Amino acid sequence: MTLSTKHLLGIETLSAEEISSILDTAQSMKKEGAPPGKESSPLAGKTIINLFYESSTRTRTSFELAGKRLGADVLNFDFSTSSMSKGETLKDTVINLQAMNPDILVIRHSAPGAAAFVAEAVDASVINAGDGAHEHPTQALLDLLTMRECRGSIQGLLVAILGDIAHSRVARSNIWGLTKLGATVRVAGPPTMIPPYIENMGVEMFYSVEEAIADVDVIMCLRIQRERQQKYLLPSLEEYAKFFGLNHERLAHAKKDVMIMHPGPINRGVEISSAVADGKNSFILEQVTNGVAVRMACFYLLAGGRQGHVAH
Amino acid sequence: MLLIKRGRIIDPANRVDGVFDVLIKNGIIARIALTIEPEEQGLRVIDAEGKIVAPGFIDMHTHLRDPGQESKETIASGCKAAAAGGFTALACMPNTGPVNDSPLITGSIISKALREGCVRVYPIGAITRGLQGEALTDIGALKEAGVVAVSDDGEPVMNAEVMRRALEYVTYFDLPVISHCEDKNLSQNGDMHEGFISTRLGLRGIPAAAEEVMVARDLLLAKMTGSRIHIAHVSTAGSVDLIRTAKAKGVLVTAEATPHHFSLTDEAVASFDTSTKVNPPLRSQKHLDALWEGLADGTIDVIATDHAPHGAKDKDVDYPSAAYGIAGLETAVSLTLSKLVHTSILTIEEAIAKLSLNPARILGINGGSLNEGGDADVTILDLEKEVTIDPENFRSKSRNTPFAGMRLTGGPVMTIVKGDVVWESESP
């Protein structure tokens, strides 16, 4: 099947079938490499622009590599330093980029809804690489792929997401994706970091990490932003580590074979101890590997490729 | 000279509801009687059969942007928008550039409005110099210059001592203080109502308590000082409860609600449409229910627009970057009729009182009633008129409305100021 939408703005608007289709495509690409096409470069002649208004190494390079592996021309614009944009508005920037006729525009921006706003303004397909605390769909897709690879299916999994749920686009996209595919999701963290009515998104809410991680198949730690301290959400990072951080002692409350995941970059000793991050249950590096495959699949499908043509 | 024939006159001040003819001469209502024959030459006869003839509507909460931001609105364009919305008068907030915190600015607004405005304009002066929340303005001199109230609208007076002294001081000048209730520490320049929708969208929430703690504070201060306080743009259930309780205890409080707050919930934000960004924000259904109840039982005295025009530069941006505000003058009456009157939340008499008599009383200005010998400020309504909101037809210089394309029933058909028809709908 192909995607029903021209853009990938979030997981909330995707159907379970579409999510599975992207995961299947990504799985094939990971195994077989780029799908057969013109000289194995199905996106040859296509242009992808990465437009990043927030600094990012991992996500930007992952998109870049994915595009290049499919044979596309990839341009990177880093607007995370304000001098680059020279006071130009987001709309003016993207309509100028549109004038270069890109096929796909990847955007990361601090404003929730920024990707949807850009999608309205341009002809290109838009991939949301993170819009504020709203969504980060490719991160959720690579997380889902990592879980599915290890456990065979998302259906029936019990997943705990720990940390600053209120400000996390990773949490939101994962909640939509996991619940659509039949997993049960728990969220846990200090009360200041749990947003109101989060249960209405179909999750169970905890404050206690010990209670939240009991019996779960997957623990996903979120990065604690250091500046949250200034916003009165946290007394200190030490306090967070002591009461909410994932360490070996606390992990004893979880199943022996629990998967440990983190979208990165990690704060060692804050939300996750080094021993846990580097331990045998950690899938953090596997997530990074899967990120490239998932982004290849998204590019491929948005550029009009069909899932099914990929698998041999 | 005008003769309005066979309209249903609803004049809450005089408890009148019946079909009469109204003769207007020299800007004055000359006669109201069962039948008046057109005897004189040059008389325009207006057939108002099936229509409602009401005292001219008064919007006590308008941002005219003039001086300072004339690309968004001017006194002339704002007055045209008011007239097209059925308003014969408006009170304009002082957050202009420069701020209306001196008699000089007040005087210039009044004289410009007399020259260029087609409706009556009543300036509201600032409570504090430059809206800084610190030093009081020369409130007495502002009153002499013509302000009808004081307010730091757009900015709350965060310092409770400043608010206490402002409330005390105005009692000598018999001016109401209009309070924009918002605790800036709690609201954090948020994007929208804090609730499930803000959680879903990842936008920064403004909790209901950010308004309510300030409403509670101001009611306590009004009680302590015995002053008149008017709470602007009430948006939460808790505020309605607090005001209702205070009124029962004799606090001299009045309150207003805006059409956007009683017509839309925070669900409207879900598409990231920046025309829905407003402060206070669109709230959830629970709060709308409370506003309807407060409007019905009289806790909320006034319907006011908080007309806040903005151009594309401020609205055609990502949601957090967008300016707060909705251009409301040209949709307010249709929304009131559709969302409150046709739904039986308010009777038509109550709606008219909240749009004319009550704001006139609070501001201590003429108007708000239809009396022989009184000023001929009249709004004529058609309750059954089908209206589709089209911002392209706005007289305002701005188009920022979340109601574009909405179909409503009822609206103004004619606006008469000082006996002159300043606006009439194209399809009679």
Side-chain angles (χ1 to χ4, degrees):
Chain A
M1 70 181 281
T2 54
L3 288 179
S4 66
T5 52
K6 181 181 170 189
H7 310 290
L8 179 61
L9 303 179
I11 303 291
E12 186 184 0
T13 48
L14 293 181
S15 66
E17 293 69 33
E18 286 174 312
I19 296 169
S20 296
S21 173
I22 298 170
L23 298 182
D24 293 345
T25 307
Q27 193 74 66
S28 311
M29 290 194 170
K30 188 178 175 189
K31 207 159 55 183
E32 319 282 345
K38 298 169 204 153
E39 301 92 40
S40 290
S41 298
L43 265 61
K46 305 260 186 196
T47 304
I48 294 169
I49 294 181
N50 286 324
L51 181 56
F52 277 66
Y53 281 87
E54 288 182 327
S55 61
S56 156
T57 308
R58 180 181 335 247
T59 306
R60 208 258 302 141
T61 49
S62 179
F63 272 109
E64 184 175 355
L65 199 53
K68 285 180 172 165
R69 285 194 180 158
L70 292 169
D73 298 319
V74 183
L75 297 172
N76 294 311
F77 289 87
D78 179 4
F79 285 86
S80 60
T81 49
S82 60
S83 62
M84 277 297 292
S85 66
K86 294 180 178 167
E88 191 177 49
T89 67
L90 175 58
K91 184 157 190 177
D92 283 334
T93 300
V94 298
I95 60 177
N96 275 281
L97 293 177
Q98 176 60 48
M100 302 177 197
N101 292 317
D103 298 281
I104 298 177
L105 195 59
V106 177
I107 178 163
R108 168 170 288 191
H109 196 280
S110 62
F117 175 74
V118 168
E120 285 283 309
V122 300
D123 297 328
S125 285
V126 173
I127 295 181
N128 180 7
D131 59 335
H134 179 224
E135 284 237 38
H136 189 355
T138 57
Q139 177 70 43
L141 290 165
L142 73 88
D143 291 337
L144 291 167
L145 182 64
T146 308
M147 289 180 226
R148 204 178 73 165
E149 266 189 332
C150 177
R151 296 300 162 104
S153 171
I154 302 296
Q155 176 76 38
L157 287 184
L158 188 55
V159 180
I161 305 176
L162 311 181
D164 187 359
I165 309 298
H167 298 90
S168 176
R169 52 196 173 210
V170 176
R172 283 174 181 77
S173 288
N174 265 294
I175 289 169
W176 294 126
L178 285 163
T179 53
K180 279 171 196 274
L181 294 185
T184 301
V185 180
R186 295 172 172 179
V187 298
T192 46
M193 292 181 160
I194 305 289
Y197 303 102
I198 186 72
E199 301 96 321
N200 292 4
M201 281 179 77
V203 303
E204 299 167 19
M205 189 197 76
F206 295 76
Y207 297 132
S208 158
V209 169
E210 286 86 347
E211 288 174 27
I213 65 175
D215 308 319
V216 301
D217 301 293
V218 182
I219 299 172
M220 188 181 295
C221 290
L222 301 174
R223 179 178 166 80
I224 294 298
Q225 307 275 346
R226 285 165 192 274
E227 62 268 25
R228 298 294 174 222
Q229 246 171 287
Q230 282 107 55
K231 291 280 184 187
Y232 316 107
L233 299 181
L234 275 184
S236 68
L237 296 178
E238 293 72 24
E239 175 105 344
Y240 184 89
K242 183 173 180 201
F243 290 96
F244 302 97
L246 194 64
N247 51 34
H248 257 299
E249 195 182 30
R250 204 157 269 138
L251 201 55
H253 293 265
K255 291 203 265 191
K256 283 266 176 294
D257 64 344
V258 65
M259 293 175 72
I260 308 290
M261 297 173 66
H262 191 301
I266 63 175
N267 291 306
R268 290 177 180 269
V270 182
E271 70 270 6
I272 191 165
S273 70
S274 282
V276 174
D278 302 332
K280 64 179 171 47
N281 295 41
S282 172
F283 283 74
I284 296 172
L285 296 177
E286 194 60 32
Q287 287 173 269
V288 177
T289 304
N290 285 340
V292 179
V294 153
R295 287 165 183 131
M296 284 171 74
C298 292
F299 283 147
Y300 179 69
L301 292 172
L302 284 181
R306 286 172 172 275
Q307 180 252 322
H309 288 206
V310 183
H312 294 278
Chain B
M1 279 187 298
L2 297 172
L3 176 58
I4 306 168
K5 293 284 289 178
R6 291 183 294 276
R8 176 182 166 198
I9 297 195
I10 298 181
D11 179 13
N14 296 310
R15 309 244 162 111
V16 169
D17 181 354
V19 176
F20 295 94
D21 291 352
V22 181
L23 180 68
I24 293 169
K25 271 190 194 174
N26 304 322
I28 301 291
I29 297 175
R31 244 184 103 200
I32 301 175
L34 280 173
T35 310
I36 302 171
E37 293 306 323
E39 288 164 356
E40 297 170 62
Q41 293 286 316
L43 187 71
R44 176 175 173 192
V45 178
I46 296 157
D47 177 12
E49 189 159 8
K51 311 280 197 296
I52 286 171
V53 178
F57 291 169
I58 299 163
D59 181 26
M60 68 179 289
H61 194 144
T62 299
H63 296 273
L64 283 180
R65 309 292 188 215
D66 185 354
Q69 292 184 296
E70 291 86 350
S71 67
K72 297 181 178 188
E73 200 77 284
T74 60
I75 288 173
S77 67
C79 286
K80 278 184 192 155
F87 293 97
T88 59
L90 59 84
C92 56
M93 284 296 175
N95 60 338
T96 43
V99 169
N100 183 12
D101 59 2
S102 76
L104 199 67
I105 308 292
T106 304
S108 77
I109 292 169
I110 290 172
S111 59
K112 193 170 180 191
L114 286 173
R115 283 195 315 272
E116 299 172 12
C118 61
V119 303
R120 297 177 196 264
V121 172
Y122 297 99
I124 295 166
I127 298 171
T128 63
R129 291 174 199 274
L131 307 178
Q132 295 296 304
E134 289 158 11
L136 295 184
T137 55
D138 291 350
I139 291 173
L142 283 169
K143 163 128 186 180
E144 279 184 346
V147 306
V148 293
V150 289
S151 180
D152 274 4
D153 186 68
E155 293 293 332
V157 178
M158 281 298 291
N159 183 328
E161 169 70 1
V162 173
M163 190 53 128
R164 178 226 166 132
R165 296 305 179 192
L167 283 163
E168 277 179 345
Y169 191 73
V170 296
T171 53
Y172 178 67
F173 297 98
D174 194 28
L175 283 175
V177 171
I178 301 175
S179 181
H180 166 119
C181 290
E182 175 189 357
D183 184 314
K184 295 286 263 187
N185 293 317
L186 277 172
S187 63
Q188 292 273 316
N189 293 314
D191 301 312
M192 66 173 298
H193 175 59
E194 181 177 301
F196 174 56
I197 308 291
S198 66
T199 288
R200 210 178 94 200
L201 301 179
L203 287 169
R204 295 166 300 172
I206 301 173
E211 174 174 312
E212 291 156 2
V213 296
M214 291 297 258
V215 170
R217 183 200 77 173
D218 286 353
L219 292 173
L220 291 168
L221 293 173
K223 186 180 176 197
M224 177 174 96
T225 56
S227 316
R228 287 201 287 143
I229 188 148
H230 177 80
I231 308 296
H233 43 53
V234 172
S235 75
T236 80
S239 299
V240 175
D241 279 344
L242 287 163
I243 294 163
R244 183 182 290 120
T245 306
K247 280 191 168 185
K249 289 186 175 167
V251 176
L252 299 178
V253 57
T254 53
E256 75 193 26
T258 72
H260 49 269
H261 285 119
F262 66 64
S263 300
L264 288 177
T265 66
D266 56 349
E267 294 271 356
V269 183
S271 59
F272 294 105
D273 174 358
T274 58
S275 73
T276 62
K277 187 172 173 186
V278 63
N279 186 21
L282 303 175
R283 302 286 185 184
S284 61
Q285 188 60 49
K286 175 187 97 170
H287 296 288
L288 263 72
D289 291 342
L291 286 187
W292 296 342
E293 211 179 310
L295 283 157
D297 71 12
T299 300
I300 297 171
D301 309 84
V302 169
I303 293 166
T305 68
D306 195 3
H307 178 75
H310 288 294
K313 186 170 151 286
D314 297 289
K315 285 291 194 179
D316 196 9
V317 293
D318 63 84
Y319 205 92
S321 303
Y324 300 105
I326 290 171
L329 280 169
E330 291 168 80
T331 52
V333 171
S334 288
L335 287 165
T336 300
L337 296 175
S338 274
K339 304 291 182 183
L340 299 179
V341 176
H342 290 309
T343 53
S344 301
I345 291 165
L346 294 182
T347 64
I348 182 66
E349 293 81 359
E350 289 166 339
I352 287 171
K354 288 182 201 297
L355 284 161
S356 58
L357 176 62
N358 296 352
R361 282 189 175 158
I362 291 164
L363 298 176
I365 58 179
N366 286 335
S369 60
L370 296 172
N371 298 308
E372 289 183 348
D375 288 335
D377 290 1
V378 180
T379 298
I380 304 180
L381 302 174
D382 180 346
L383 287 188
E384 306 308 326
K385 176 184 175 181
E386 294 299 324
V387 177
T388 303
I389 304 297
D390 180 2
E392 292 310 309
N393 292 336
F394 278 6
R395 270 65 170 180
S396 169
K397 286 181 111 172
S398 294
R399 306 273 176 270
N400 52 308
T401 176
F403 298 107
M406 188 177 273
R407 299 162 78 94
L408 300 169
T409 305
V413 291
M414 185 175 283
T415 309
I416 300 167
V417 177
K418 301 174 197 171
D420 293 327
V421 176
V422 294
W423 174 82
E424 60 190 301
S425 72
E426 282 151 23
S427 49

